Amino acid sequence: MKMKIILVLGLISVLGCQTFLQSKSGEEQKAEYSESHLDFKRWGRDSNCCSAVGVKAAVASGGTNSSKAGLEILKAGGNVVDAAVATAFVLAVERPHSAGLGGGGFMTLYIKDKNPQAQFIDFRETAPEKAHRDMYLDKNGNVIADLSVIGPLSVATPGFVLGLFEIHKKWGRLPWNRLLIPSIDLAARGFKIYPSLAKHILEKQNCLVRDIQAQKLLFRDGKPFQAGDLLVQKDLANTLRRIAKNGAKEFQTGKTAQAIASYMKANSGILSQRDLKNYQIKYRNPILGNFKQWGLISAPPPSAGGVLILQMLKVLEGFPLQELSQKTAQYSHLLSEVLKRAYADRSQFVGDPDFVSLDYSKLTDPTYIEALRSHVSLDKATPSTEIRGGQWMEDKTHTTHLSVLDTQGNAVSSTLTINDIFGACVIAPGTGIFLNDEMDDFSAKPGASNIYGLTGDKANEIHPGKRPASSMSPTIITQNGQPILVVGAAGGSRITTSVFQVILNDLFVFQGDLKKSVFGPRIHQQWMPEFLDLEDSYSEVTKQYLSSIGEKVRQAPWSAVTQAAHLEADGSGRVRAVFDPRDEGGAEAY
Ligand code: GLY
C-alpha cells in the first residue's frame, strides 16, 4: 500500500513537472525576450539608424567613416574588393582599438566572373621565428599572467598590409594609392572620439599608460581622452602615405618595418625585421558546404569559424527549425546544445593546418553529424563535462568586420583584428600603429584558457611561423550560385556563435528582415566555461525554463558585434547593409 502511494505521488509529481515545463514552454512562444531588443530606441539610435538600401551595392562595417569610404570607392568606379580594401584601411584609423596595420585578418570573397568564384585569403598574424611553445610559462610550468596579452612579447607578425596589398593586386580595379586616400585624410584631419572608443580608452588606461606613444596619442595632461575629443593620428597618416606610395614593402622592409623592429629589440620583444620581411599570406580553400537550399562559404582553419558554422547548421537540419525558431525557449536551448558540442571540437582540433594534420571534413561528415544530433535532447541540457571534442567520431570586441555586396553577384566578407582592445597596447615610435597581441590566441599550454576563456590543446600550441586558432568567421551565404547574405562579426569567441545566429535569423527567424536579424538578442555557449549566456532582453520565464532543464544560465557579460549585407528577400534585387547597434558602425548603399 505504502509503495502504491509513493508510486502515485511520484507519478503526480512527474506529470506535474512535465505540465509545468510544457506550459512554461508554451508561454515561451510569446515571451522569450522583450521585443524592445529589436527597437532602435533601446540602442539610443534614431529610427533610420543602422541600415541602408540600394540598387547597386551596400557596405556595412564597424565605422561610420569606414563604410562611407567604401561607398565613395564604389561610386568612383571601384569594385567590391576596392571598396573592402579602402574600408579596411579606414577601419584601421577609426577603430585603432580593434584592427589595423599592426594586426591581421581573413577575407572571404565571391567574385562572379572568376574561377573559382569563392576565395579565401588568410593574412593572420604568425608567431615570430623566436617564439617557442613554453614562452608564456614560468619554471614550474604555470602560465605567467598577461605575458601573452600586454607588451612586446605578445606581438605576432602582422599580415594586414601585405594581405590587403596582394588582394588588391589580384582582384582590385582602382589604383592602390587611390584606395588609401580616405584613411590618410581621416588620420590627418582627425575625428571626434565616439562613446564606445572613449569607453575602451578608459577601460584600458592602465595598459595604455605604460606605453609612451599610446599615452601621447590618447591622453592629455595625464588623463585619457573622452568622447567628443578630437583624435588626430599624424604618425599613422604618414605611415599610410608611405604605404600608399611604396606598397606593402614599406611594412616589410621599409622605414615602418625598421621602426617596429628597432622598438622590439629595445623592449625585449622577439618580433624581428626578418619576421616582417618573410611574412607571407596564404590562399586557402574556403569551407564550402550546403544546408537545405543554401550554400555556405566561410573561413577554414586556422579559423574555427567556417567548420563550426557548417557543422552546427548541418546538425540543425534534422530539427523542425522553422517551427522552433519562432521564439521558443527550446530554440535557445537547442542552439546551446549545438554550440557546446561544436566548441568542444574547436578546443580539441583546431589549429594552423600548415602545422596540424587533421581532415576537418570529418567534423562535418554525415555520420558524425548524425551522431551529434542524436545526442541532443530538446528537453534536457547536457553538462559540458559530459562532452568531449570528437566524442562520437569514428576515428576521431575586439576585432572588427566589413561586409560588401553588389547586385552583380560579388561579395566580400572580411574580419580584421589586433586581438584584444588596443592589442598589446604598444606603438613603435613614429608609426602610429597599435601592435596586436594575437599570441594570446595560441594555447599557452594544453587546457589553459585565453582572454576569451577558450581552451586549446596541442593542435594550437605555439610554434615559430604558425598561425593561432581563430574564431573569425567571414561568411557568405549563396542561393542558386548568387551571394544573398554576407556576414561576419567582432568579439573573440562570440564571433562564430553570433555569425551563426544572424544566418539563422535572416533565413528562418526573421525571414529576410536583416535589421531584426542583426538587432535580435543572441545567446552564447562555448562548451567551457559552461555558461549559457543570454543577452539582457531574455525574459525571466525563459531563464527559469532553461535553468530548469539544466542550462547554466548567465547574463551575457558582453556581446559580439555583427556587420551584414544581404539581397532583399522581396525579389526587388536591391541590396541592404545593416550595422550592429551594439557598437559604432556604418551602413551605406547606393
Ligand atoms: N583574435 C580573435 C580571433 O582571431 O578569434
Side-chain angles (χ1 to χ4, degrees), residues 19-46:
T19 315
F20 171 77
L21 288 181
Q22 275 164 8
S23 78
K24 286 277 184 201
S25 122
E27 282 168 38
E28 292 311 307
Q29 300 291 332
K30 290 181 224 89
E32 192 190 16
Y33 50 73
S34 157
E35 283 286 328
S36 69
H37 204 99
L38 307 175
D39 193 341
F40 62 91
K41 289 191 216 106
R42 176 189 197 276
W43 305 100
R45 310 268 181 181
D46 65 48

Side-chain angles (χ1 to χ4, degrees), residues 106 124 346 398-399 417-420 438 441 452 454 468-472 492-493 495:
F106 294 142
R124 184 155 174 77
R346 181 201 201 280
H398 326 89
T399 310
T417 188
I418 50 173
N419 197 32
D420 200 2
E438 214 68 59
D441 270 352
Y452 307 112
L454 288 169
S470 172
S471 301
M472 294 189 294
S493 58
I495 291 175

